[in-house]
Every structure is written in C-alpha cells, then in structure tokens.
Amino acid sequence: MPELPEVEALKDFLTEHLVGRRVARVLPAAVSVLKTYDPPVTAFEGAEVTAVRRYGKFLDLTADSGLHLVTHLARAGWLQWKDRLPDGPPKPGKGPLALRVALETGEGFDLTEAGTQKRLAVYVVRDPRQVEGIARLGPDPLAADFDEGRFAALLKDERRQLKGALRDQSLIAGVGNAYSDEILHAAKMSPFKLAASLTPQETHRLYEALRTTLTEAVERSRGVAAGRLKAEKKSGLRVHGRTGEPCPVCGDAIREVSFSDSSLQYCPTCQTGGKPLADRRLSRLLK
C-alpha cells in the first residue's frame, strides 16, 4: 500500500506535471472506483488544476472551478503517468485500469488496481473534508506543529498495541503496515507493547523514530518518477517484507507474525529481548 512517503512523492510529481494544465476528460473504467456522484466526475472536465495536496494517504487535485478530485490508492492501487495516453476511451472491466485522467496536451495518468479486492476510491467534492476518510484523519506526523508533546498526548490513554495505534489513521495520518514496522524497528520496540505503557524516554525514542523514518523515506522518494516509487520504497525497507533475512543492525533473522489479511515483521534481538512473538495464525494451524 502506498503510504505517506510515496503519496508525498506523488503529490510533488503531480504538482510538476498537472498544475497550470487543463483536464480534457475523466474516464472511469471501473464503476466501483467512484464513491461520489454529485457533482458527477465529468464536472472536473475542462477545469485547470491549481494545486495538488496530500491528506494522510489521500491525494487531492484542486481545480479552478472549486472542485476537488480526491483519490485513495488503497492496498493495491497505483498511479501511472503517461506522456501520451492511448486514443479512445478505455474498455470498462478490462484489466487493472480503474480511472483515466487526460489533459488537453494528450498527457495524463491512469489509476490502476491489482487483484480482486477493489478498494481504490475516487471522489469529486467541493471540499476535501466531505470525504469521510479525510474528515477523520489525525494529525500529520511530519507537520511543523506535530511536536513530541502532541505525540505523547495522543498515546497517553491509548490502550492498544503500538502496531495498531501507529496504523490508526484517526490517531496519526499516513502510516501504514510497512512504515509502522520500520518505525518500531528503529525505536527498538515490540509491536505488541501497549502504547499507554511507554515511559517518557520511550515516548521520545518512538517520536524520533517516527519523524526520522518518514523524513528519510520522503527524501529517498523525492524526485523519483511515479513509475519507480514502488521499487524505491521496497529498497529502503529494513525489516518489512524481509522475513528470514538478517537484521541490518544485529544480524538476527527477521521474524514474522501473520494475521488474516496482513503480516508484520520485526527483529527479536532488537525489539523483543530475543523472544519470538506468537504467530496466532500459525499456532491455530498446528493445533
């Protein structure tokens, strides 16, 4: 899933390629992608893009008409820029294409989604806060006013495990499965540790890991073309998706805990005092 650093890079890329240019056509190829119908998606046609913004994992294209085309790429979605789009409208229901945005110049982008679980979402609204997912977002962890005191206040009464708390978009915007693993590894903390149990020193360490991990990922992604961002993200991950590989800090083997539709990765030596965490799904299979 694209997370804060990749969506930030897409925002920068689209700012360079879209702002000041006029949209010719907005062509849905999958009915499931449209989450709003008033105004219709065609109302964005003919508008000039004046800004591109990021809200958590959401991208917002703002037009001179006052409308916003907002998208969330979900788990398997992506944006593919094309210097020359194919002629003619896309064929509905064929392949991964979900929606095409064509500029008057002939350039544009496709929103695509792999797999069978179609969760990629597109909204056309008059105010981004009309999108429920944006309205409920917590603070952006890279915002200038997101200081350690604010972070500590968020966690003070949080009774969930750190992994779940970091991924909750209503608590902190933009962190997903991959970067929560990376942040916890950098902070040397168990993903199962309760957020409310952190000492002031641990809170400081986690805050520093949060800001540093995301900032470094944004810097790695900055200037990378949209089509190469997935590979850039994977190359920068130290533990996520690297089960069985040696930890780059201590050399211990990276372990995994599996859930129904996702998994987390961690280093036992760095994060859990050398003790493997129970893999609940595997435990059920062995019974």
Side-chain angles (χ1 to χ4, degrees):
M1 176 186 289
E3 299 178 37
L4 185 156
E6 296 78 51
V7 180
E8 180 72 12
L10 285 174
K11 181 207 75 174
D12 291 344
F13 179 88
L14 292 178
T15 296
E16 179 182 349
H17 288 77
L18 289 182
V19 171
R21 300 185 183 184
R22 198 164 294 278
V23 174
R25 301 288 303 277
V26 182
L27 302 165
V31 176
S32 62
V33 75
L34 297 177
K35 305 305 179 185
T36 57
Y37 303 95
D38 183 23
V41 69
T42 53
F44 210 77
E45 296 178 346
E48 179 183 308
V49 179
T50 58
V52 182
R53 297 182 176 90
R54 177 185 61 78
Y55 299 94
K57 303 177 192 176
F58 289 84
L59 272 173
D60 168 26
L61 310 186
T62 304
D64 59 358
S65 61
L67 294 180
H68 299 257
L69 191 149
V70 176
T71 185
H72 189 288
L73 294 171
R75 175 173 291 183
W78 197 245
L79 184 149
Q80 298 181 357
W81 179 263
K82 298 182 183 295
D83 292 330
R84 180 69 190 180
L85 287 169
D87 295 328
K91 295 181 179 180
K94 299 293 183 180
L97 181 62
L99 181 129
R100 174 169 291 160
V101 175
L103 303 180
E104 289 184 341
T105 59
E107 302 166 289
F109 64 85
D110 288 342
L111 296 179
T112 62
E113 186 171 23
T116 58
Q117 295 185 348
K118 302 303 182 183
R119 298 177 180 175
L120 191 151
V122 173
Y123 313 78
V124 177
V125 292
R126 295 177 178 86
D127 186 325
R129 288 170 294 185
Q130 291 177 294
V131 178
E132 182 181 356
I134 292 178
R136 68 178 183 85
L137 284 176
D140 191 293
L142 293 186
D145 62 352
F146 189 76
D147 58 18
E148 188 174 330
R150 191 174 184 188
F151 180 63
L154 290 174
L155 298 184
K156 183 179 66 171
D157 298 318
E158 182 57 63
R159 299 295 174 183
R160 286 175 295 175
Q161 295 169 341
L162 286 175
K163 175 72 176 180
L166 289 174
R167 292 185 63 188
D168 183 352
Q169 300 303 293
S170 64
L171 190 73
I172 300 171
V175 179
N177 195 31
Y179 286 108
S180 56
D181 283 352
E182 297 299 300
I183 291 163
L184 290 167
H185 178 256
K188 299 185 181 299
M189 290 183 187
S190 168
F192 290 173
K193 186 177 181 66
L194 295 180
S197 71
L198 295 183
T199 66
Q201 292 77 17
E202 288 173 328
T203 300
H204 172 75
R205 197 163 80 237
L206 185 60
Y207 174 78
E208 290 296 317
L210 171 72
R211 297 273 288 198
T212 300
T213 299
L214 295 178
T215 299
E216 290 178 351
V218 168
E219 288 303 315
R220 284 196 308 271
S221 300
R222 197 178 302 280
V224 176
R228 301 203 308 271
L229 280 171
K230 283 185 180 180
E232 174 57 41
K233 175 181 181 177
K234 185 175 181 180
S235 69
L237 298 176
R238 309 181 83 186
V239 292
H240 184 79
R242 300 192 180 279
T243 303
E245 296 182 23
C247 170
V249 175
C250 72
D252 194 2
I254 302 297
R255 301 290 187 97
E256 176 176 306
V257 176
S258 299
F259 302 96
S260 59
D261 61 349
S262 66
S263 63
L264 66 83
Q265 285 79 42
Y266 69 100
C267 170
T269 295
C270 290
Q271 296 175 252
T272 61
K275 298 179 180 178
L277 298 173
D279 188 332
R280 295 179 178 86
R281 188 170 68 174
L282 181 60
S283 298
R284 287 198 299 270
L285 291 174
L286 293 176
K287 287 181 179 179

